Amino acid sequence: MSTSKVMRLVGKYELGRTIGEGTFAKVKFAKNSETGEPVAIKILDKEKVLKHKMAEQIRREISTMKLIKHPYVVQLYEVMGSKTKIFIVLEFVTGGELFEKVLNDGRMKEEEARKYFQQLISAIDYCHSRGVYHRDLKPENLLLDVCGNLKISDFGLSALSQQVKEDGLLHTSCGTPNYVAPEVLKDRGYLPFDDSNLMVLYKKISAAEYIYPPWISFGALRLITRILDPNPTTRITVPEILNDEWFRKGFKRPVFQEIDDINLGDVEAVFKGPEGTPINQIRAKKEEQPVAMNAFELISLSRGLNLGNLFEVEQSEIKRETRFTSKCPANEIICKIEEAAKPLGFDVHKNNYKMDLENVNAGRKGKLKVSTEVFQMAPSLHMVEVRKKKGDTLEFLKFYKKIATQLKDVVWKSEEDMQNGGKG
């Protein structure tokens, strides 16, 4: 294993691999050194946040999540700050997105869909009781834990009750266009619809123009119709949903301990530099070798890590990230990925054993951006993570399938995989 890498510490947390990355932040896997508990740490660059005037949105997200402690909401444990960074310590959720589950598994049985919907409404009802409104609920922001329970994430566009106007409604247009409420489009205050033309899409939303499948039950259809009512004054409310006959079938309210005393002082402190909130030094050296992955991190990955056929096109799942193992040297792996990506129209930016790949042509949701990183599992064994940073998930799947055919000589397969029919 590499001896050149020094453990990176943020407070009592040992930082590990990057598990997510965006324009203003990256999310790293970490471990609480006192309890051994896995967590996710969202790391924001203060300079970028202030430069792009994102401070208020970040303050809102942190404040909102501190107000909410519910079994179906991703929990915020603490927030810390240094001179240049903001660290948000979050619950580590391993089950992926509900979006991915629907794409991978297809239509759910109604009982399973009802369970997720009950968990969603239970969490929404609690958030509203605390004066918090998410405003960007969609399958991509609904995560699943290891037990298959829902976890609402991404409160970056949430609103607090102080922002509600005299008519009792929120008026700011935000979130994903396909889910915007019709009254927002008409600027009369605050739906899954789809169309490539934005104006046509908005017309569909305003007219509640959608198609329901023939196999849906009458009880579910009746409830969906009331939820998608374009008139906010007659649309069903959350308390009414909780009393709906279809909804109440098998419903049990979660039992949990609520938070009585919320201290938001540290939220402001993280924007003021190192004197605001105590934080241990961040110790790191330049990584001259791939990051060495310890056994704890490998265990956390075991649910989704298939050493044999993760890159088999026929069996690939639609995810924002995928992994494969290789016995090739790390430098060779990086070169092979670069050689495979460039003919597909991707610009390549390398940083040691990490690479950012950006499609020169814009897709349905802008340019597809993909990151790759090589981790060392043993002296002669590496794990490669391929992750979508930006763009459409389905376009990422197409890229993933194309590049897979070019990397079959790199992917390692055990004898057992070969005997089970894996093709090299």
Side-chain angles (χ1 to χ4, degrees):
M1 303 290 276
S2 169
T3 58
S4 64
K5 184 173 187 301
V6 177
M7 180 64 68
R8 301 186 70 215
L9 290 176
V10 174
K12 59 187 176 185
Y13 301 98
E14 300 174 3
L15 292 184
R17 64 193 178 90
T18 300
I19 56 177
E21 199 164 351
T23 306
F24 302 103
K26 64 172 58 178
V27 182
K28 284 187 172 288
F29 173 88
K31 182 179 70 171
N32 186 322
S33 60
E34 297 176 359
T35 66
E37 181 184 14
V39 297
I41 298 187
K42 189 173 185 177
I43 305 173
L44 299 103
D45 186 290
K46 281 187 178 181
E47 186 178 349
K48 287 184 179 180
V49 167
L50 296 173
K51 179 180 178 181
H52 292 87
K53 300 180 180 178
M54 297 289 291
E56 184 54 40
Q57 181 171 325
I58 302 302
R59 281 193 186 96
R60 182 168 62 240
E61 180 177 6
I62 298 172
S63 301
T64 297
M65 295 191 74
K66 291 201 73 173
L67 288 169
I68 301 298
K69 186 176 182 181
H70 189 277
Y72 303 138
V73 175
V74 173
Q75 187 176 348
L76 184 149
Y77 295 131
E78 61 179 304
V79 57
M80 300 176 287
S82 71
K83 186 176 181 180
T84 59
K85 305 289 183 184
I86 298 169
F87 303 91
I88 306 173
V89 185
L90 301 163
E91 178 182 5
F92 181 57
V93 184
T94 60
E97 300 172 357
L98 184 63
F99 175 79
E100 293 170 351
K101 178 176 175 61
V102 173
L103 286 178
N104 290 329
D105 300 344
R107 174 172 29 129
M108 292 182 187
K109 291 183 178 179
E110 192 160 295
E111 292 75 16
E112 184 181 18
R114 181 181 3 240
K115 181 195 81 169
Y116 289 129
F117 185 65
Q118 288 170 339
Q119 293 178 349
L120 175 64
I121 294 300
S122 173
I124 290 173
D125 182 51
Y126 176 78
C127 289
H128 288 187
S129 74
R130 307 286 293 187
V132 173
Y133 306 89
H134 190 284
R135 300 202 297 174
D136 196 23
L137 288 170
K138 55 186 178 181
E140 294 92 327
N141 288 339
L142 303 178
L143 306 181
L144 300 175
D145 67 13
V146 70
C147 298
N149 292 314
L150 209 66
K151 292 282 185 178
I152 299 178
S153 69
D154 199 348
F155 281 80
L157 293 175
S158 61
L160 301 177
S161 56
Q162 296 92 319
Q163 295 171 263
V164 177
K165 295 193 177 180
E166 293 179 0
D167 60 3
L169 300 174
L170 291 158
H171 290 248
T172 308
S173 179
C174 69
T176 307
N178 306 61
Y179 300 88
V180 172
E183 60 271 22
V184 174
L185 302 177
K186 298 174 183 177
D187 197 25
R188 294 211 303 259
Y190 279 46
L191 315 172
F193 299 83
D194 190 30
D195 196 278
S196 57
N197 184 298
L198 199 59
M199 292 308 296
V200 174
L201 169 66
Y202 286 163
K203 286 180 180 178
K204 287 182 178 180
I205 294 173
S206 298
E209 182 184 329
Y210 58 91
I211 298 173
Y212 60 87
W215 40 260
I216 196 169
S217 72
F218 175 74
L221 174 61
R222 181 177 59 185
L223 179 57
I224 290 170
T225 303
R226 295 189 66 193
I227 291 172
L228 296 183
D229 182 351
N231 185 344
T233 61
T234 57
R235 185 184 307 142
I236 191 171
T237 63
V238 170
E240 289 172 337
I241 292 175
L242 288 165
N243 288 319
D244 179 83
E245 182 180 355
W246 181 88
F247 177 90
R248 291 178 61 185
K249 188 174 180 180
F251 176 59
K252 294 181 181 179
R253 285 185 178 272
V255 179
F256 61 98
Q257 185 175 358
E258 294 194 41
I259 306 172
D260 295 322
D261 185 26
I262 306 295
N263 179 15
L264 298 179
D266 57 347
V267 178
E268 285 301 319
V270 297
F271 287 91
K272 297 179 181 178
E275 72 283 357
T277 299
I279 183 170
N280 292 7
Q281 305 104 315
I282 302 169
R283 305 191 296 275
K285 287 185 179 179
K286 185 177 182 181
E287 296 166 0
E288 299 174 354
Q289 298 291 327
V291 173
M293 188 167 285
N294 59 38
F296 190 86
E297 291 182 90
L298 286 173
I299 292 170
S300 77
L301 287 173
S302 61
R303 185 178 181 276
L305 183 58
N306 179 332
L307 298 182
N309 10 331
L310 266 175
F311 252 57
E312 284 297 322
V313 176
E314 296 81 7
Q315 298 180 15
S316 63
E317 294 183 349
I318 302 173
K319 295 183 176 180
R320 289 192 174 197
E321 66 179 20
T322 190
R323 308 175 188 93
F324 66 92
T325 52
S326 177
K327 287 191 171 182
C328 296
N331 283 332
E332 183 179 333
I333 297 171
I334 289 291
C335 290
K336 291 284 187 182
I337 295 174
E338 183 178 9
E339 290 172 4
K342 283 187 174 180
L344 298 177
F346 282 80
D347 286 333
V348 178
H349 306 280
K350 291 190 287 187
N351 180 16
N352 290 329
Y353 295 94
K354 300 179 182 179
M355 284 198 303
D356 284 336
L357 314 175
E358 182 177 2
N359 199 330
V360 295
N361 298 314
R364 194 168 72 92
K365 293 183 179 178
K367 291 184 178 181
L368 177 63
K369 294 184 180 180
V370 178
S371 67
T372 68
E373 183 168 2
V374 179
F375 298 91
Q376 188 178 43
M377 301 168 68
S380 59
L381 184 64
H382 295 92
M383 187 194 78
V384 183
E385 186 173 74
V386 183
R387 183 175 65 251
K388 188 197 81 173
K389 290 178 65 175
K390 188 177 180 182
D392 184 65
T393 301
L394 293 178
E395 289 175 10
F396 173 68
L397 174 67
K398 292 178 182 177
F399 162 80
Y400 155 71
K401 285 183 175 181
K402 289 178 181 178
I403 202 171
T405 61
Q406 304 297 318
L407 297 177
K408 287 193 174 182
D409 292 339
V410 176
V411 179
W412 172 68
K413 293 186 179 182
S414 65
E415 291 183 9
E416 180 183 356
D417 293 321
M418 299 298 290
Q419 291 171 1
N420 290 336
K423 299 175 183 179

